[in-house]
């Protein structure tokens, strides 16, 4: 007999509560199962399977069905003595961890997760070591062990579970003074080319009319031989970086890893899981990537630049990248949260 999906009307005996519906089993309540509404819409069958497996093993399970995704982390925070279990995708996991961190309740909570969603929407859960099929994930909730995990937090108390990656933005342009200098250099290069072509044409004409004359006459000499300087193109150091490159300053525990004099195409910062350090990777415009590990990482744009864009947990949060920041510092908080993972 197939039970109705959780998104349907709650069965008899289920009370209506602020933030959705919650139902209690008999006896103790060891688990608080919160099903994100997006998961019920995405894959109601996986939600039903996970619920049935957990309910069969824990008769005291309490089931909560929030009506709005914003209510999901609030219900998890009110778990009391029960173990909170989240059913949802990476976005729901991120919102839950960020909310619990903001409430200063993350350190004392061992969070269990049943990932529900398509491949890209549960990529973060996979990278954290969670099984993706409903049965295995539910068994992990019952038989798994809490693992202490590092947390990456920025200087505005923003939380990152996976990693941070900078993104080149067309809006990021050099300061006005440098724009004028580069524009003048471009004009100088154009004028240099025009003058060079004119000198060459004039030299050919005078050489053709001056055949038979003494070779020392100035009319038959090239501009260089006649001592006339030929303007050159602007030096490469004054040209703007190639498309997609950025001028950034990257510091790892106070040591400069990359400077604005060497454009980069990519900077990533991510936790290593439980090592207490972040892994920093800097890809220069030319050359091999630089990789270091550090407790604190600072990325900043040079003075006068409007800033740089970055995306945190890009695989999990499909929203737009953060607004341009002049500087941002990420710090690793060792063993800041606990996630229930498969035993062994």
């Amino acid at each position: 007999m197939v039970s109705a999906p959780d998104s349907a009307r709650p069965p008899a005996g289920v009370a209506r509560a602020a933030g959705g519906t919650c139902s209690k089993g008999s006896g103790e309540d060891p688990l608080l199962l919160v099903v994100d509404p997006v998961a019920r819409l995405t894959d109601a069958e996986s939600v039903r399977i996970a619920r049935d497996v957990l309910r069969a093993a824990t008769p005291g399970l309490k089931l909560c069905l929030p009506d709005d995704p914003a209510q999901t982390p609030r219900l998890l925070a009110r778990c009391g003595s029960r173990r909170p279990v989240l059913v949802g995708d990476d976005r729901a996991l991120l919102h839950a961890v960020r909310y619990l961190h903001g409430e200063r309740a993350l350190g004392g909570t061992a969070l269990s997760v049943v990932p529900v969603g398509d491949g890209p929407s549960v990529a973060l859960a996979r990278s954290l070591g969670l099984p993706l099929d409903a049965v295995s994930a539910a068994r992990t909730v019952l038989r798994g062990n809490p693992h202490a995990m590092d947390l990456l937090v920025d200087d505005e108390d923003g939380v990152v579970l996976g990693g941070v990656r900078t993104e080149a933005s067309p809006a990021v342009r050099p300061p006005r003074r440098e724009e004028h200098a580069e524009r003048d250099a471009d004009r100088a290069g154009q004028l240099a080319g025009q003058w060079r072509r004119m000198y060459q044409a004039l030299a050919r004409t005078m050489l053709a009319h001056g055949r038979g004359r003494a070779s020392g006459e100035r009319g038959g000499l090239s501009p260089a031989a006649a001592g006339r300087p030929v303007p050159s193109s602007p030096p490469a150091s004054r040209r703007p970086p190639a498309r997609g490159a950025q001028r950034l300053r990257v510091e790892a525990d106070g040591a400069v890893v990359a400077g604005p004099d060497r454009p980069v195409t990519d900077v990533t910062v991510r936790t290593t899981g439980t090592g207490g350090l972040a892994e920093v990777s800097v890809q220069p415009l030319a050359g091999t990537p630089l990789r270091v590990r550090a407790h604190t990482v600072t990325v900043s744009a040079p003075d006068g630049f409007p800033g740089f864009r970055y995306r945190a947990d890009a695989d999990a949060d499909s929203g737009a990248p953060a607004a341009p920041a002049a500087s941002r510092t990420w710090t690793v908080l060792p063993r800041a949260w606990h996630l229930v993972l498969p035993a062994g």
Side-chain angles (χ1 to χ4, degrees):
M1 178 179 176
V2 179
S3 61
D6 290 336
S7 56
R9 178 180 299 178
V14 175
R16 196 71 174 171
T21 59
C22 293
S23 63
K24 286 187 180 182
S26 59
E28 281 187 54
D29 294 320
L31 296 182
L32 172 68
L33 184 63
V34 181
V35 182
D36 189 70
V38 176
R40 303 204 302 272
L41 294 174
T42 302
D43 190 350
E45 180 65 12
S46 293
V47 171
R48 182 193 65 79
I49 292 173
R51 180 202 62 192
D52 290 349
V53 171
L54 293 174
R55 178 174 283 167
T58 55
L61 177 143
K62 179 179 179 181
L63 175 65
C64 288
L65 307 175
D67 298 322
D68 189 292
Q71 299 166 350
T72 299
R74 299 172 188 170
L75 290 172
L76 289 169
R78 295 198 289 266
C79 62
S81 60
R82 302 179 182 89
R83 285 201 295 124
V85 182
L86 170 66
V87 179
D89 57 11
D90 291 346
R91 196 178 184 89
L93 173 60
L94 277 168
H95 290 171
V97 173
R98 290 169 182 170
Y99 183 85
L100 292 171
H101 173 74
E103 295 292 311
R104 300 299 181 258
L106 186 61
T109 303
L111 187 62
S112 297
V113 179
V114 176
V116 172
D118 56 14
S121 70
V122 291
L124 175 59
R126 182 191 302 110
S127 70
L128 292 174
L130 290 167
L132 299 186
D133 67 283
V135 174
S136 297
R139 289 174 177 170
T140 297
V141 173
L142 300 171
R143 305 171 188 172
N145 298 321
H147 286 250
M149 310 286 286
D150 294 344
L151 194 65
L152 201 60
V153 179
D154 64 29
D155 45 10
E156 292 187 347
D157 211 30
V159 170
V160 180
L161 297 184
V164 175
R165 184 173 186 174
T166 60
E167 291 195 348
S169 171
V172 178
R173 305 179 61 192
R176 186 173 300 276
R177 182 172 58 186
E178 293 189 10
E179 282 184 347
H180 290 321
E182 290 168 358
R183 186 167 59 247
D184 292 343
D186 290 340
R187 290 178 178 174
Q190 295 174 1
L191 290 175
Q194 294 174 1
W195 279 107
R196 189 183 298 110
R197 289 191 294 271
M198 186 182 70
Y199 284 145
Q200 292 172 350
L202 180 61
R204 286 195 298 269
T205 301
M206 296 183 69
L207 183 62
H209 286 284
R211 291 185 185 280
R213 296 183 181 181
S215 60
E217 290 184 9
R218 295 178 62 84
L221 299 178
S222 66
R228 291 190 288 269
V230 179
S232 60
S233 300
S237 60
R238 299 186 62 184
R239 299 172 187 167
R243 184 176 181 86
Q246 307 170 84
R247 297 191 185 278
L248 298 174
R249 180 183 180 89
V250 182
E251 300 177 46
D253 286 340
V256 178
V257 178
D261 58 331
R262 190 181 183 189
V264 300
T265 59
D266 187 58
V267 177
T268 59
V269 183
R270 64 177 57 251
T271 62
T272 57
T274 58
L277 296 174
E279 185 177 89
V280 187
S281 177
V282 179
Q283 175 62 63
L285 185 60
T288 58
L290 305 173
R291 291 188 176 89
V292 298
R293 291 191 175 189
H295 176 68
T296 300
V297 182
T298 299
V299 180
S300 57
D303 292 340
F305 278 64
F308 69 98
R309 290 182 180 271
Y310 65 91
R311 189 186 294 272
D313 294 312
D315 293 335
D317 200 341
S318 58
S327 178
R328 184 68 72 237
T329 298
W330 289 274
T331 303
V332 178
L333 301 183
R335 304 172 64 87
W337 68 298
H338 293 77
L339 180 67
V340 176
L341 296 176

